[in-house]
Amino acid sequence: MKSLVLCLVVVVVFGSCLKLPSSFKKCDRRSTNFNQCLSKSIHGALTSLEKPLKSHGLPSLHDVLFPPAFGFEIGNSTYGLKQKCGNLRLFGLSNPENVAARMNFGPVVSTLTVETTYSELKWTAEWEVQGTMVLLPLNVVTAVEAILVEPVLTIIFDLEEYEKGGTHFRVAGTGIDLQARDFVIDYKRLFSNERLNREFNSALVEKSSEIFAMFKHLEKIYAPAFGSMLNGFLEKVPVAELFDG
């Protein structure tokens, strides 16, 4: 009875005391197969997030909409093309083929590394272009779709502990590495001439590896978004509910 009263007090004061959802597997950090258990647990968590789990601060990972702050601009219209990318969405994070996770517990900062493989991930965005492409004036806003074929997404979370009605983790830093076997871009209406638009997209496919490398530095822009998603969960679920031991 006392523990129930204590839990109710914590809920009122801190909004915490939540247990793991039934689709999440709790692992024992003392076990020799802890990382294998953690990998299975995270795989189950990802697949269960086809829809959001609002009670635990987790959004849907089927369709992730990034806030406006995560758009970007490149180039300028005076000497070439000014390109502005916004309304970014990432589809497919809830459909992993495999997850390999490991957790290194430290006295101050612990590190969670999650390597996830997919058959494909899809980005969509709104692409605004102003300027001149080889003497051809452009002033257009078009939808663009990018397919990552057989991508491997590795996210590293640095976690620090703090007290809030119990011990919790929070994300102190996030790093991302994204690799893919292929990268296909499709601008839906960059040019009014359909044939020109089709041929342009075809030329992009031929240079997909170079284009992918050009945009790889943008990974650091999106890293905080993944950290924020995890934080929404960690602030609601104490460490004692995440792991045994």
Side-chain angles (χ1 to χ4, degrees), residues 116-128:
T116 313
T117 59
Y118 296 88
S119 59
E120 73 171 38
L121 291 172
K122 182 174 74 172
W123 286 94
T124 65
E126 183 180 80
W127 205 277
E128 182 178 348

Side-chain angles (χ1 to χ4, degrees), residues 99-110:
V99 174
R102 61 184 182 275
M103 184 86 171
N104 295 319
F105 292 94
V108 178
V109 177
S110 298

Side-chain angles (χ1 to χ4, degrees), residues 37-68:
C37 176
L38 183 64
S39 299
K40 291 181 181 178
S41 178
I42 293 176
H43 186 280
L46 292 175
T47 55
S48 71
L49 289 173
E50 190 79 9
K51 296 181 179 180
L53 188 62
K54 294 181 179 180
S55 61
H56 288 73
L58 288 169
S60 167
L61 294 183
H62 167 68
D63 176 4
V64 177
L65 173 63
F66 289 85

Side-chain angles (χ1 to χ4, degrees), residues 149-194:
V149 181
E150 297 180 10
V152 180
L153 176 63
T154 303
I155 307 180
I156 301 173
F157 300 101
D158 291 328
L159 307 175
E160 60 183 17
E161 294 184 359
Y162 70 101
E163 296 297 322
K164 180 185 174 183
T167 302
H168 286 253
F169 277 132
R170 65 178 160 219
V171 178
T174 311
I176 288 181
D177 179 64
L178 178 61
Q179 304 291 336
R181 184 179 65 79
D182 205 356
F183 180 55
V184 181
I185 304 178
D186 180 16
Y187 286 91
K188 300 302 181 180
R189 194 172 176 81
L190 186 60
F191 305 102
S192 57
N193 184 303
E194 292 185 7

